[in-house]
Amino acid sequence: MEKEPARHIALARNEYLVAINGVRMRVLLNSDGVATVNGVRHAYDLHESPEGGTSLIMDGSVFEVAVLARKRQRADQDGIPDASERIAVSVNGTDFEAAVDDRHSLLVKSLMKTTAHDARSITVRAPMPGLIVRIEVEAGQAISAGQGLLVLEAMKMENEIRALQAGRVKEIFVQSGRAVEKDERLMLIDAE
Amino acid sequence: MEKEPARHIALARNEYLVAINGVRMRVLLNSDGVATVNGVRHAYDLHESPEGGTSLIMDGSVFEVAVLARKRQRADQDGIPDASERIAVSVNGTDFEAAVDDRHSLLVKSLMKTTAHDARSITVRAPMPGLIVRIEVEAGQAISAGQGLLVLEAMKMENEIRALQAGRVKEIFVQSGRAVEKDERLMLIDAE
Amino acid sequence: MPHRPIKRILIANRGEIAVRIIRACRELGITAVAVYSDVDRSALHVRRANQAVALGGATSGESYLNKTKLLEAARKARVDAVHPGYGFLSENADFAEAVEHAGFKFIGPPPSAIRTLGDKTEARKRARELGVPTVPGTVEPLVDAGQAFDVAGAVGYPVLLKAAAGGGGRGMRIVNSEDEMPSAFATAHSEALNAFGDGRLYLEKLIENPRHVEVQVLADSHGSVLHLGERECSVQRRHQKVVEESPSPIIDEAMRAQMGDAAVTLARSAGYVNAGTVEFIVDAKKNFYFLEVNTRLQVEHPVTELVTGIDLVAEQIRIAGGGRLEQRQAEIRQRGHAIECRVYAEDPANRFLPSTGTLERYVLPEGPRVRVDNGYRQGDMVNLYYDPLLAKVVTWGRTRKESIAAMKRSLAEFHIGGVRSTIPFCQFVLSHGRFLKGDYDTGFVAMYFAPEALYREGNRAQVAAAIMAARAKARMTGVAPGDDATFTTQRSREWKKNRHATLR
Amino acid sequence: MPHRPIKRILIANRGEIAVRIIRACRELGITAVAVYSDVDRSALHVRRANQAVALGGATSGESYLNKTKLLEAARKARVDAVHPGYGFLSENADFAEAVEHAGFKFIGPPPSAIRTLGDKTEARKRARELGVPTVPGTVEPLVDAGQAFDVAGAVGYPVLLKAAAGGGGRGMRIVNSEDEMPSAFATAHSEALNAFGDGRLYLEKLIENPRHVEVQVLADSHGSVLHLGERECSVQRRHQKVVEESPSPIIDEAMRAQMGDAAVTLARSAGYVNAGTVEFIVDAKKNFYFLEVNTRLQVEHPVTELVTGIDLVAEQIRIAGGGRLEQRQAEIRQRGHAIECRVYAEDPANRFLPSTGTLERYVLPEGPRVRVDNGYRQGDMVNLYYDPLLAKVVTWGRTRKESIAAMKRSLAEFHIGGVRSTIPFCQFVLSHGRFLKGDYDTGFVAMYFAPEALYREGNRAQVAAAIMAARAKARMTGVAPGDDATFTTQRSREWKKNRHATLR
């Protein structure tokens, strides 16, 4: 099922495609207390608590669970908004970020054209929120793998962002002294 | 001020009469961060938290505070609804139940007629929620002070409710085997 | 008898003790299976378990006291052993027997030892035979109220009526004179019958305001029996403990050894295995008398754990699995001092009556020196179905003074809103001169406690509460602070002028 | 010098350490005055204090590092003493001096001792003079990068560049060869300058993958100097400790005495008073070398507290008030074993980079054997302004095995949602064979840790997450479970038939 293109999957109204850490699961909510996940039927007992956390008892095993805030939708590499719902769930203290599709979001996806993607162009993104301390390269400059590109300060630590492979700096989106968000675009590199 | 009848107090729009544990305080919310309580001005700093608890820093001292659920309005002895707002506040782990009046509720109160109250009739109320195990007296029966009236079971303990003074049982509102709420009327006693 | 290793345990209990046993299981690598009534569906003990089996029902009888359902759950979950906790069926020999017959280990003493020592009358007889001092009174259960009159007349009033089968103050009554005997006998009998299914009572001379001191015992199935020192449990309301400490402020090394020997002798004579507690009362001259044996884990076991470093629940499980005690008596050492305060959902200002409702605010103490054994979460309902114990706060210090200071700090951090609790009562105890001196007995509460001593919040806390309440009311009615700021300075003059403008 | 009794203390810090100091104050009956930046307005350390003074600002420079504002707050709150905690100004001799000049006691060593021992270069010189072994390298700070080349050539690569003024891994770089020296020197210099306002560096031979073992010292103002045994701190990422334990798995009584003597000798020679830590590295042959002195309380002080029973913060306050140490060296005994895990808001799967956001879920472990020193509450924001330490989990056991089991249980109970934390990393460490054997050094993380080892949740946890996520999506779109129950069994056939009916 995993290789089947999303647009060819026919989902029931109460059926969902859930992707967690790269694993895709097909979840059918049969009734309140029974779900079929990838064809396996699971009986569960869930009593939601006003305080957020609660326990899911599935096939006799207890999982302490909480649905966290809905994540804002993330633009993919090419700037096309992702129609999947991003939902974070805490299970036994571990956060799972799930991308959830229902029949409607799959339809939206199948209608959206995908722009051709230039594999040779690499976007360097901020690995964490922080402050740009200095930029160590210039637009147009040739760079080698491992070379320092810029220095990002967060919580009083300076972190040097380095090139993963050789290439040339195509564009720099930030300036020294600017605060950046996690995943914000910093540079565009033309890979060699 | 405490002896002044409620209906003669002129309150400002942002002024409140707050009664806590029998102590009445006149609270003027001058501005966000300043309040005058019984004529004494207090500077405070409050940053409310979405999780409920927060700290009130008043005149430099820290109080961990939380506003708890609004209590349902309690009927007074004579069944007349109390116009005051009942608000429970936790301060440093202690619950304070406040009866709060503003200019409007004072007006309502001043318009309500008070029924004459027969001081010789005593309502026996349930001191806690529980189950009536047995009733030890009958309507019309003369009773002496300290005599057992009925037995209430809560959390596996039997608790005998006794007469505080001598008199005669006027009416019994409950039956053996019935569950009762806290403060529910159990009997009416004509005091001697 | 070969022992099957214990890999899965059913915890036939709820609340903080179920959570505490689950934690021991998890530390030992054992799968913990919780059981739950309908109203406990999302209780903390369920959340903390690896697996959970529904019992259904709400009352104890429908759930945690229901032997059939519990055994069914044990079979369904394919466990190796059952831990009963305290209360419920923990001292029920028939249940222990049924558990063993069904092929599970019962984590507690053998049914025979529960019968011999758990029956107060039997235990007292045995103690007398072994030369352990006991309080004058009946050896056999009373036949009727008439016999109660006779025996009471012989030993002299005041006397105590006690349930032969029970504990925890249920079915217990003090009788000060002949006049009180009929109703006291009837009530105690009825309570005992309801609580334990056994209305038998016995009677003994009341030692007025004794201290209540108990000795923790551990015994393995290879004949080793140890005592782990004493716990002082004299702060009681309604004959139930609220504050306990170890070591006792009045017990010295010699007396500890004497009481310990008596406890070990009793346990050994009954073929006792697993954890148990031998309770004594101590009079003003430091004479001690055997009271009863609790053939189970005690609520207050953590104070012993903190001073000895020994995990009693882990030892219980090891012993049930056939393990040997690792220490010898000489190696058991008390280090420092520990106190426990029980946090019940009760209103100390209103005769300790149960207080039910929603825990709208429930913030536990944290940090150095404090351990919290807890069964609830903010937002949980406290209902009438079960024992009102919410949590236990236990602190440790090198000295008694240090553990008291840590307890006061911890109780101040423990914030409960929406339900009354015994915290203010415990704060009263921890600040009382008698308690601070260690000079108190079971008469402490009756003698020194009055509800007026509670909630002595400073005037400033009330002012803070008033401001919060006024702000809440303002928010409800859409008034912003300062909305009528002109009134601040010149109230009476401005009042008339603005009357019209400010009336809505 | 007559000492004014310490009745009020300003805590010039934030987070868990401020809360921990406030707790010690409250247990000692001392009024605790917190300070806070604008973003910390409702932080836990403010809530737990008796009083609080606003510093304003958000960055450390505007608040907790601002000497003028802190002194002003101390004056305003009329305190008797200032406790600096760790980090921020805790090792700043000028601040200590300014505090004392303003008439307050500084709860820490005298400024002269901070200067002598806090400066790594000075401390190394002194250690050599006293015969305490040190690692080969520069005695004076480096003049320039050129000198760095020369010295490194002499002692042999790899070498270590370290900030003369700092600690905590800031301004520290390993240099493997001449090629790396220029950029390493520049970065270390710049980091040191930014972090400590002092860019001086020194250089020493790199002892590859040593163990990091430190000795806790306590000294009073009456000439008594004690050591409280060692802490093993070899589990580090980015030269910062994450997991610590006491006692160290490799230190025996004789080595403990040797290292303890060395630490006491150093402290005594500098007229040290109050709590301090002497850090050593230990090579594979168990040779130990003096590394540096931390002239303050350490993050990991609780492990020492749990095994010795001594409250280091309470001792700090007593010592600052002129009190005498009550114990002698022979009376200091380690009992059992303790471990600490630091819970940082960092993503261990992404090079331990800081993780910011809201603590949407934040549930602390409870129960036996565990102590949590914590600075946050559910709903709090974790921002970029300060150190990302959220809490410390510390467990105790009679044996190392027991404390490890308690730690694993406790980490499993610690639920953080919305922000990544080092909990999964600590779980990896606590389950690794090398750690379990006690056979690890500072190379542990580089050698054995890979992010793939994290989040090894069972397939069942993922299934649970998938069901929860699907239910959440269903709720958003108003679909009830079972809304399309016909699809359950005969999907493909029914699909066409119902297509029309189910499309909205």
Side-chain angles (χ1 to χ4, degrees):
Chain A
M1 191 195 298
E2 298 215 1
K3 283 174 189 163
E4 191 184 1
R7 59 185 162 276
H8 293 151
I9 299 178
L11 292 181
R13 182 166 148 75
N14 54 338
E15 195 171 27
Y16 302 89
L17 276 187
V18 183
I20 295 177
N21 296 340
V23 178
R24 279 171 74 200
M25 285 169 278
R26 195 162 174 155
V27 181
L28 178 68
L29 300 175
N30 310 53
S31 64
D32 199 2
V34 179
T36 303
V37 180
N38 287 348
V40 182
R41 199 180 160 88
H42 298 276
Y44 66 88
D45 182 6
L46 181 76
H47 177 95
E48 307 206 23
S49 143
E51 295 292 319
T54 187
S55 48
L56 174 80
I57 303 176
M58 187 177 74
D59 307 326
S61 289
V62 181
F63 300 88
E64 180 134 322
V65 295
V67 175
L68 306 177
R70 200 171 143 185
K71 300 281 163 186
R72 61 165 177 217
Q73 301 210 334
R74 233 195 275 186
D76 72 8
Q77 289 288 93
D78 305 298
I80 294 173
D82 182 353
S84 308
E85 194 81 54
R86 303 270 164 185
I87 296 169
V89 180
S90 166
V91 178
N92 290 345
T94 300
D95 284 9
F96 290 89
E97 292 193 16
V100 185
D101 282 296
D102 62 6
R103 57 200 306 172
H104 298 288
S105 68
L106 283 191
L107 187 68
V108 171
K109 279 183 163 179
S110 73
L111 294 175
M112 277 192 313
K113 280 182 199 151
T114 50
T115 309
H117 181 250
D118 179 4
R120 299 182 57 82
S121 192
I122 298 164
T123 306
V124 180
R125 289 170 190 276
M128 62 185 152
L131 187 79
I132 306 293
V133 176
R134 61 180 173 276
I135 296 174
E136 302 179 313
V137 292
E138 288 172 18
Q141 184 179 332
I143 50 167
S144 53
Q147 183 173 343
L149 300 176
L150 51 76
V151 177
L152 188 64
E153 183 189 303
M155 294 179 188
K156 301 283 152 205
M157 287 290 290
E158 295 194 357
N159 303 278
E160 190 171 56
I161 314 287
R162 296 180 196 188
L164 280 172
Q165 57 175 118
R168 190 172 292 278
V169 179
K170 193 172 170 187
E171 198 175 346
I172 302 176
F173 304 115
V174 292
Q175 310 84 40
S176 174
R178 230 195 77 184
V180 293
E181 301 266 305
K182 187 172 190 296
D183 288 331
E184 189 169 332
R185 291 191 308 166
L186 304 175
M187 290 186 192
L188 207 60
I189 307 285
D190 274 340
E192 264 179 14
Chain B
M1 191 195 298
E2 298 215 2
K3 284 175 188 164
E4 190 183 3
R7 59 183 163 279
H8 293 152
I9 297 178
L11 292 182
R13 181 166 149 75
N14 54 338
E15 195 171 26
Y16 302 88
L17 276 187
V18 183
I20 295 175
N21 296 340
V23 177
R24 279 171 74 201
M25 284 169 278
R26 193 163 177 153
V27 181
L28 178 69
L29 300 175
N30 309 54
S31 63
D32 199 2
V34 179
T36 303
V37 180
N38 287 349
V40 181
R41 196 180 161 87
H42 298 275
Y44 68 88
D45 183 6
L46 180 75
H47 177 95
E48 308 206 22
S49 142
E51 295 292 317
T54 186
S55 48
L56 174 79
I57 302 176
M58 186 178 75
D59 308 326
S61 290
V62 181
F63 300 89
E64 180 134 321
V65 295
V67 175
L68 306 176
R70 201 171 143 186
K71 300 280 164 189
R72 61 167 178 216
Q73 299 210 336
R74 235 195 273 187
D76 72 7
Q77 288 288 92
D78 305 296
I80 295 174
D82 182 352
S84 306
E85 194 83 52
R86 303 270 164 185
I87 296 168
V89 180
S90 166
V91 177
N92 290 345
T94 299
D95 283 10
F96 290 89
E97 292 193 15
V100 185
D101 282 298
D102 61 6
R103 56 199 308 173
H104 298 288
S105 68
L106 283 191
L107 187 67
V108 170
K109 279 182 161 178
S110 72
L111 295 175
M112 279 191 311
K113 278 181 198 150
T114 50
T115 309
H117 181 248
D118 180 4
R120 299 182 59 82
S121 190
I122 296 164
T123 307
V124 180
R125 290 171 188 276
M128 64 186 148
L131 187 80
I132 306 293
V133 176
R134 61 179 173 276
I135 295 175
E136 302 178 314
V137 292
E138 287 172 20
Q141 184 181 331
I143 51 167
S144 53
Q147 184 172 344
L149 299 176
L150 51 77
V151 177
L152 188 64
E153 184 190 302
M155 296 182 185
K156 300 284 152 205
M157 287 292 290
E158 294 192 359
N159 303 276
E160 189 171 55
I161 313 286
R162 297 179 195 188
L164 279 173
Q165 56 175 120
R168 190 170 293 277
V169 178
K170 192 173 173 188
E171 197 176 348
I172 302 176
F173 303 115
V174 293
Q175 310 84 43
S176 177
R178 230 195 78 184
V180 293
E181 300 267 306
K182 184 171 191 298
D183 288 331
E184 190 170 331
R185 292 190 309 165
L186 304 175
M187 290 185 189
L188 207 59
I189 307 287
D190 274 339
E192 264 178 13
Chain C
M1 185 174 76
H3 286 283
R4 175 168 47 153
I6 296 179
K7 294 284 178 200
R8 296 167 67 84
I9 293 177
L10 185 94
I11 294 107
N13 216 304
R14 66 178 301 281
E16 64 86 19
I17 190 60
V19 176
R20 194 258 172 274
I21 297 164
I22 289 165
R23 288 190 168 123
C25 290
R26 303 200 87 154
E27 292 183 16
L28 294 168
I30 290 169
T31 301
V33 182
V35 291
Y36 57 97
S37 67
D38 284 347
V39 292
D40 275 348
R41 168 58 191 83
S42 31
L44 190 60
H45 78 279
V46 178
R47 301 192 194 185
R48 285 285 159 271
N50 300 98
Q51 302 189 2
V53 182
L55 297 174
T59 64
S60 302
E62 294 168 313
S63 53
Y64 306 103
L65 276 175
N66 189 309
K67 294 172 196 168
T68 314
K69 284 187 180 176
L70 289 166
L71 288 172
E72 201 182 290
R75 270 184 222 106
K76 190 175 165 191
R78 290 169 293 110
V79 298
D80 305 307
V82 174
H83 197 305
Y86 55 71
F88 294 126
L89 295 168
S90 60
E91 294 182 283
N92 187 306
D94 294 344
F95 179 63
E97 213 159 59
V99 165
E100 299 266 344
H101 283 170
F104 311 114
K105 291 298 293 178
F106 178 77
I107 301 176
S112 60
I114 301 179
R115 291 210 171 90
T116 322
L117 295 179
D119 185 294
K120 293 183 193 183
T121 315
E122 290 300 313
R124 273 160 58 86
K125 259 193 268 181
R126 177 177 294 262
R128 286 192 185 177
E129 285 159 22
L130 293 167
V132 173
T134 58
V135 176
T138 53
V139 178
E140 300 291 339
L142 296 164
V143 179
D144 53 21
Q147 195 198 357
F149 275 108
D150 298 344
V151 182
V155 303
Y157 285 94
V159 297
L160 203 58
L161 287 173
K162 301 168 93 177
R170 293 170 195 167
M172 185 186 284
R173 283 293 182 282
I174 292 173
V175 192
N176 290 301
S177 64
E178 285 198 355
D179 299 355
E180 294 179 13
M181 185 60 87
S183 91
F185 191 91
T187 317
H189 175 79
S190 147
E191 242 182 61
L193 200 62
N194 284 339
F196 316 112
D198 176 355
R200 289 179 307 150
L201 300 175
Y202 70 106
L203 182 152
E204 63 186 33
K205 173 146 186 65
L206 177 71
I207 306 279
E208 279 186 276
N209 298 336
R211 282 178 172 258
H212 179 116
V213 179
E214 61 188 26
V215 175
Q216 176 68 51
V217 167
L218 263 188
D220 66 20
S221 54
H222 308 278
S224 175
V225 187
L226 297 175
H227 78 85
L228 271 58
E230 82 286 1
R231 292 183 290 259
E232 164 80 59
C233 312
S234 300
V235 180
Q236 303 185 352
R237 52 97 187 78
R238 286 203 307 253
H239 299 288
Q240 283 187 319
K241 304 158 190 168
V242 194
V243 180
E244 301 100 344
E245 57 180 314
S246 181
S248 160
I250 57 147
I251 307 287
D252 58 22
E253 246 348 294
M255 190 167 171
R256 179 170 302 124
Q258 272 181 34
M259 293 176 78
D261 283 350
V264 167
T265 302
L266 255 171
R268 198 186 291 280
S269 81
Y272 201 86
V273 174
N274 217 292
T277 294
V278 182
E279 297 194 329
F280 297 94
I281 55 176
V282 179
D283 69 17
K285 289 170 190 157
K286 294 202 190 182
N287 297 307
F288 64 89
Y289 305 97
F290 169 68
L291 191 66
E292 65 184 54
V293 179
N294 291 147
T295 59
R296 54 163 168 86
L297 193 67
Q298 298 277 86
V299 178
E300 59 273 21
H301 74 277
V303 294
T304 299
E305 294 186 327
L306 289 192
V307 295
T308 62
I310 292 171
D311 186 320
L312 285 165
V313 178
E315 293 295 334
Q316 285 194 294
I317 295 170
R318 277 194 209 107
I319 289 168
R324 283 172 190 276
L325 288 171
E326 283 162 15
Q327 292 97 336
R328 290 184 216 162
Q329 189 63 55
E331 293 164 352
I332 308 291
R333 277 192 214 96
Q334 296 179 310
R335 164 157 150 166
H337 183 269
I339 304 187
E340 173 180 283
C341 285
R342 300 190 189 183
V343 179
Y344 284 105
E346 292 178 354
D347 186 356
N350 187 17
R351 293 181 293 150
F352 295 96
L353 293 178
S355 175
T356 58
T358 300
L359 294 168
E360 294 182 48
R361 192 162 160 67
Y362 195 69
V363 181
L364 300 183
E366 298 162 8
R369 301 170 178 284
V370 62
R371 158 179 169 181
V372 186
D373 281 17
N374 168 45
Y376 289 79
R377 281 275 174 267
Q378 187 162 302
D380 283 357
M381 279 288 300
V382 180
N383 57 51
L384 275 174
Y385 297 112
Y386 317 110
D387 187 86
L389 184 61
L390 301 175
K392 300 173 326 203
V393 181
V394 201
T395 56
W396 182 89
R398 275 182 304 176
T399 60
R400 188 168 186 267
K401 198 179 155 197
E402 275 187 10
S403 61
I404 290 175
M407 182 59 81
K408 289 165 99 165
R409 188 274 292 174
S410 300
L411 292 177
E413 281 188 25
F414 201 154
H415 290 189
I416 299 182
V419 165
R420 297 278 174 191
S421 83
T422 46
I423 290 173
F425 171 74
C426 294
Q427 287 171 321
F428 161 82
V429 173
L430 272 280
S431 297
H432 196 279
R434 285 276 178 166
F435 183 83
L436 295 179
K437 270 184 262 173
D439 179 17
Y440 64 99
D441 54 41
T442 48
F444 177 80
V445 171
M447 192 89 83
Y448 300 109
F449 175 65
E452 295 72 53
L454 300 169
Y455 308 115
R456 288 268 168 104
E457 292 305 319
N459 183 36
R460 294 193 309 163
Q462 281 207 357
V463 170
I467 292 174
M468 291 302 293
R471 283 177 60 98
K473 174 72 177 169
R475 203 166 42 231
M476 289 172 197
T477 52
V479 175
D483 258 10
D484 204 345
T486 48
F487 278 71
T488 317
T489 43
Q490 298 175 293
R491 295 204 70 266
S492 45
R493 193 166 55 78
E494 295 286 310
W495 166 248
K496 280 167 195 147
K497 213 161 78 182
N498 287 292
R499 184 164 213 163
H500 216 73
T502 56
L503 277 173
R504 292 195 300 179
Chain D
M1 188 173 74
H3 286 284
R4 174 168 49 152
I6 295 178
K7 294 282 178 201
R8 297 167 67 84
I9 293 177
L10 185 93
I11 294 108
N13 215 305
R14 65 178 301 281
E16 65 86 20
I17 190 59
V19 176
R20 194 259 171 275
I21 297 164
I22 289 166
R23 287 187 168 125
C25 289
R26 302 199 88 154
E27 292 183 16
L28 294 168
I30 290 169
T31 301
V33 182
V35 291
Y36 58 97
S37 67
D38 284 346
V39 292
D40 275 347
R41 168 60 190 82
S42 29
L44 190 60
H45 77 280
V46 177
R47 300 192 195 184
R48 285 286 159 270
N50 299 98
Q51 302 189 1
V53 181
L55 298 173
T59 64
S60 301
E62 293 167 313
S63 53
Y64 306 103
L65 275 174
N66 189 310
K67 295 172 198 169
T68 313
K69 284 186 180 175
L70 289 167
L71 287 173
E72 201 181 290
R75 270 184 221 106
K76 190 174 165 192
R78 288 168 293 109
V79 299
D80 304 307
V82 174
H83 197 306
Y86 56 69
F88 293 127
L89 295 168
S90 60
E91 294 182 283
N92 187 306
D94 293 344
F95 179 64
E97 213 159 57
V99 165
E100 299 266 344
H101 282 170
F104 311 115
K105 290 298 295 177
F106 179 77
I107 301 175
S112 61
I114 301 178
R115 290 211 171 88
T116 322
L117 295 178
D119 185 295
K120 293 180 191 181
T121 315
E122 289 301 312
R124 273 160 58 86
K125 257 193 268 181
R126 178 177 294 262
R128 286 194 186 179
E129 285 160 21
L130 294 166
V132 173
T134 59
V135 176
T138 51
V139 179
E140 299 291 340
L142 295 164
V143 180
D144 54 21
Q147 196 198 354
F149 275 108
D150 297 345
V151 182
V155 303
Y157 286 94
V159 297
L160 203 59
L161 286 173
K162 302 168 92 176
R170 293 171 194 165
M172 186 186 281
R173 283 293 181 282
I174 294 173
V175 191
N176 290 300
S177 64
E178 284 198 355
D179 299 356
E180 295 179 14
M181 185 61 88
S183 90
F185 190 91
T187 318
H189 175 79
S190 148
E191 245 182 61
L193 200 60
N194 284 339
F196 316 110
D198 176 353
R200 288 179 307 150
L201 301 175
Y202 70 104
L203 182 152
E204 63 186 31
K205 175 145 187 64
L206 178 72
I207 306 279
E208 279 186 275
N209 298 338
R211 281 178 172 258
H212 178 116
V213 179
E214 61 189 26
V215 174
Q216 176 68 51
V217 167
L218 264 188
D220 66 19
S221 56
H222 307 279
S224 175
V225 187
L226 298 175
H227 78 84
L228 270 58
E230 81 286 2
R231 293 183 289 259
E232 164 81 58
C233 312
S234 299
V235 178
Q236 304 185 350
R237 52 99 188 77
R238 285 202 308 250
H239 300 287
Q240 283 186 320
K241 304 158 190 169
V242 194
V243 179
E244 300 99 344
E245 58 180 313
S246 181
S248 161
I250 57 148
I251 307 286
D252 59 20
E253 246 347 295
M255 192 167 168
R256 179 170 301 123
Q258 272 180 33
M259 293 176 78
D261 283 350
V264 167
T265 303
L266 254 172
R268 196 185 293 280
S269 82
Y272 201 87
V273 174
N274 218 291
T277 295
V278 182
E279 298 195 330
F280 297 94
I281 55 178
V282 179
D283 70 16
K285 291 170 189 158
K286 295 202 189 180
N287 297 306
F288 65 88
Y289 304 97
F290 168 69
L291 191 64
E292 64 184 56
V293 178
N294 292 148
T295 59
R296 53 163 168 86
L297 195 67
Q298 298 277 85
V299 178
E300 59 272 21
H301 74 276
V303 294
T304 299
E305 294 185 327
L306 290 192
V307 294
T308 63
I310 292 170
D311 186 320
L312 285 165
V313 177
E315 293 295 335
Q316 283 194 297
I317 296 171
R318 278 193 209 105
I319 289 168
R324 282 173 190 277
L325 288 171
E326 284 161 16
Q327 293 98 338
R328 289 184 217 163
Q329 190 64 54
E331 293 165 352
I332 307 291
R333 278 192 212 94
Q334 297 178 310
R335 165 158 150 164
H337 183 271
I339 304 187
E340 172 180 283
C341 284
R342 300 190 190 184
V343 178
Y344 284 105
E346 293 179 352
D347 186 355
N350 187 17
R351 293 182 293 151
F352 294 97
L353 293 178
S355 176
T356 58
T358 300
L359 294 168
E360 294 183 47
R361 192 162 159 68
Y362 195 70
V363 181
L364 300 183
E366 298 161 7
R369 301 170 177 286
V370 62
R371 160 178 168 181
V372 185
D373 281 17
N374 168 46
Y376 288 79
R377 282 274 174 268
Q378 188 162 301
D380 284 355
M381 280 286 302
V382 180
N383 57 49
L384 273 173
Y385 297 112
Y386 317 110
D387 188 85
L389 184 62
L390 300 175
K392 299 172 327 203
V393 181
V394 201
T395 56
W396 181 89
R398 274 182 304 175
T399 60
R400 188 168 185 265
K401 199 180 155 195
E402 276 187 9
S403 60
I404 289 175
M407 182 58 81
K408 288 165 101 165
R409 188 275 292 173
S410 300
L411 292 177
E413 282 188 24
F414 201 154
H415 290 188
I416 299 182
V419 165
R420 297 279 174 190
S421 83
T422 46
I423 291 173
F425 171 74
C426 294
Q427 288 172 319
F428 161 80
V429 173
L430 273 280
S431 297
H432 196 279
R434 286 277 178 164
F435 183 84
L436 295 179
K437 271 183 262 172
D439 180 16
Y440 65 99
D441 54 40
T442 48
F444 177 80
V445 171
M447 193 87 84
Y448 301 110
F449 176 64
E452 295 74 52
L454 299 169
Y455 309 116
R456 288 269 169 103
E457 293 304 320
N459 183 37
R460 294 193 309 165
Q462 281 206 358
V463 170
I467 292 174
M468 291 301 294
R471 282 177 60 99
K473 175 71 179 170
R475 204 165 43 231
M476 288 172 198
T477 52
V479 175
D483 258 9
D484 204 347
T486 49
F487 279 72
T488 317
T489 44
Q490 298 175 293
R491 295 207 68 267
S492 44
R493 194 166 54 78
E494 296 286 311
W495 165 247
K496 279 168 196 148
K497 213 160 78 185
N498 286 292
R499 183 164 212 162
H500 214 73
T502 54
L503 275 173
R504 291 194 298 184

